[in-house]
Amino acid sequence: MDMRDLIDRLIAGQNADGGWGYYRQKKSRLEPTCWAVLALASSGHDRSVAGAALRQWPTRDGLLLERADGGPNYGFHGLALLALHAAALEHRNGNRALLDGLQRVKGLALAPSAINRQDNSIQAWSWIDDTFSWVEPTAWCLLALKTCAQSWHARIDPARIRDGERMLVDRSCRGGGWNYGNSNMLGRELAPYVPTTAVTLLALRDRDRGQGVTDALAFLERHSTFERSAMALGLASRALRAYGRDTTAVRAALREQLPITVALGNQAAVAAALYALVNGDDSSAF
């Protein structure tokens, strides 16, 4: 299966409103639309066509909604900023306004925990309103702030960068890498996962390589092909590439997984695979 097949599938799966659902002929959702825009724009497809829906995506209080009749999802809002940046698109409300909206929201601060080893006072980013900060949305939001601010001439509150980095370092699993939320629960250490570790490493790649980053990178190199999904393999490939590591094995695994990815029909996964396999650093959002 070549890249042209994946491109054609994504083009055929675009909805009449310009967006993409998780599956063909399903309502447009923000996450699959972002991945499709990233993949098609980096593959040379007409960016104005690929990003038509994203430029007009509905918002509330400066945040992109997860779907037309839904609420904001902070992690997907961060991914959308990366897609707009990569495709050189401007949202109708202004990209800097969307960046400002992302800086205003915070996860809830909670009282110190008697059962978990973590700092509950750090307010990074949650998935949705009025909930606790999680690793994955924090990584996407932090990566978006760092990636987009300079080219959009936006002012970034250094405290948001600091809190995001502190939270990610605080939640690092023993031995390296990141789980989706906590690193431990009820006295038990939780396992790290490949996709969460990959996107967190991308968000922290401009930091000095302290022990947390070094251990996580070693974990990712050892386990990059263990989680056989297009999203996990694609993110692992991007992260390893960003740190100058060899991606031969993980890219081979991603190609081997393509028939299953296509058969399952998840358009976000198809787009993530295509984005990871496209050659050339000039089109990379992260």
Side-chain angles (χ1 to χ4, degrees):
M1 181 173 294
D2 61 23
M3 298 303 97
R4 187 69 245 176
D5 292 328
L6 300 182
I7 293 170
D8 290 344
R9 286 178 180 276
L10 287 176
I11 293 172
Q14 189 172 21
N15 289 331
D17 64 6
W20 281 263
Y22 283 103
Y23 296 91
R24 193 175 293 194
Q25 298 181 339
K26 297 297 183 180
K27 289 184 179 180
S28 296
R29 308 286 285 271
L30 185 56
E31 185 190 21
T33 297
C34 291
W35 281 112
V37 171
L38 281 166
L40 292 175
S42 64
S43 303
H45 186 63
D46 188 333
R47 298 181 183 196
S48 63
V49 173
L54 195 53
R55 293 173 59 201
Q56 303 295 323
W57 202 268
T59 63
R60 187 175 73 206
D61 299 328
L63 293 167
L64 297 160
L65 304 182
E66 193 276 329
R67 59 186 187 277
D69 55 349
N73 179 300
Y74 303 161
F76 297 161
H77 181 100
L79 178 61
L81 294 179
L82 292 165
L84 288 166
H85 179 268
L89 298 170
E90 183 79 11
H91 189 269
R92 63 182 177 184
N93 292 349
N95 291 347
R96 279 185 291 180
L98 297 182
L99 208 58
D100 289 342
L102 189 61
Q103 292 189 80
R104 288 195 300 269
V105 295
K106 297 180 179 180
L108 295 179
L110 300 181
S113 173
I115 58 174
N116 296 331
R117 184 189 68 252
Q118 63 190 42
D119 186 346
N120 287 340
S121 69
I122 304 174
Q123 293 180 270
W125 284 273
S126 57
W127 282 113
I128 58 175
D129 295 337
D130 299 323
T131 55
F132 189 57
S133 299
W134 281 63
V135 169
E136 192 172 0
T138 294
W140 282 121
C141 294
L142 186 61
L143 181 57
L145 292 184
K146 291 181 175 182
T147 300
C148 303
Q150 184 173 359
S151 59
W152 292 348
H153 306 292
R155 289 187 59 186
I156 301 299
D157 181 358
R160 298 304 289 136
I161 300 292
R162 204 161 47 241
D163 288 345
E165 291 181 343
R166 283 179 57 221
M167 187 268 190
L168 294 175
V169 171
D170 181 69
R171 304 296 163 80
S172 178
C173 295
R174 284 190 173 164
W178 283 268
N179 194 283
Y180 290 98
N182 303 333
S183 63
N184 62 106
M185 176 61 68
L186 299 173
R188 301 179 73 89
E189 298 301 320
L190 300 182
Y193 293 106
V194 166
T196 324
T197 298
V199 70
T200 303
L201 281 170
L202 287 167
L204 296 177
R205 71 179 183 266
D206 60 335
R207 282 175 54 97
D208 291 336
R209 295 190 187 179
Q211 195 64 38
V213 170
T214 300
D215 289 347
L217 188 55
F219 163 81
L220 188 62
E221 286 190 285
R222 291 194 307 271
H223 295 86
S224 63
T225 62
F226 283 26
E227 294 183 40
R228 292 291 177 132
S229 75
M231 192 66 70
L233 293 166
L235 287 171
S237 175
R238 281 290 175 182
L240 290 173
R241 184 175 181 175
Y243 282 83
R245 297 302 201 268
D246 182 38
T247 62
T248 303
V250 70
R251 287 171 67 85
L254 182 55
R255 288 184 177 276
E256 184 179 299
Q257 186 71 17
L258 283 179
I260 297 175
T261 300
V262 169
L264 291 173
N266 186 307
Q267 297 193 119
V270 170
L274 175 59
Y275 181 63
L277 290 170
V278 168
N279 293 318
D281 292 325
D282 56 332
S283 62
S284 178
F286 50 85

